[in-house]
């Protein structure tokens, strides 16, 4: 079984290659199959979240309440800016 890793849809497409490097790193160190999943917009991503199709997410701060309500827990955050995006897992 694999874990779906979603990236907030507002991340510029030029950064997607970096996310795939992170996914490879996470797979190697967790020994779990992790699949990067892209969404066209926030509505599509929220629908997948509510269906339980995402296990790990790099989320926009606008989704923080929804993620907490769904049981996600923060696992990493930026050092300097606490109001930035956080990686959370379910």
């Amino acid at each position: 079984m694999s874990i779906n890793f979603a990236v907030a849809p507002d991340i510029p497409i030029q950064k997607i290659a970096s996310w795939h490097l992170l996914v490879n790193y996470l797979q190697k160190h967790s020994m779990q199959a992790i699949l990067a999943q892209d969404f066209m917009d926030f509505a599509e991503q929220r629908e997948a979240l509510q269906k339980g199709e995402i296990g790990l997410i790099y989320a926009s701060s606008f989704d923080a309440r929804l993620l907490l309500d769904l049981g996600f827990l923060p696992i990493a955050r930026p050092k300097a800016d606490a109001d930035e995006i956080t990686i959370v897992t379910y």
Side-chain angles (χ1 to χ4, degrees):
M1 181 171 201
S2 62
I3 299 169
N4 287 332
F5 176 66
V7 177
D10 59 345
I11 301 299
I13 194 69
Q14 297 86 352
K15 307 273 186 195
I16 294 300
S18 299
W19 290 109
H20 288 282
L21 290 174
L22 175 61
V23 167
N24 288 335
Y25 175 86
L26 293 172
Q27 286 185 117
K28 182 178 179 180
H29 292 284
S30 69
M31 295 190 295
Q32 296 282 324
I34 300 173
L35 302 173
Q37 191 170 6
D38 303 330
F39 294 94
M40 297 303 293
D41 56 39
F42 285 103
E44 183 182 5
Q45 183 182 37
R46 285 189 189 110
E47 182 179 335
L49 280 166
Q50 291 172 336
K51 289 180 178 178
E53 297 173 353
I54 298 172
L56 184 65
I57 183 169
Y58 183 83
S60 166
S61 57
F62 296 110
D63 285 328
R65 180 80 263 157
L66 172 64
L67 294 171
L68 291 173
D69 290 346
L70 292 173
F72 281 79
L73 301 170
I75 60 170
R77 68 177 179 87
K79 286 182 183 181
D81 299 321
D83 63 340
E84 287 293 324
I85 297 172
T86 302
I87 298 176
V88 295
T89 186
Y90 182 63

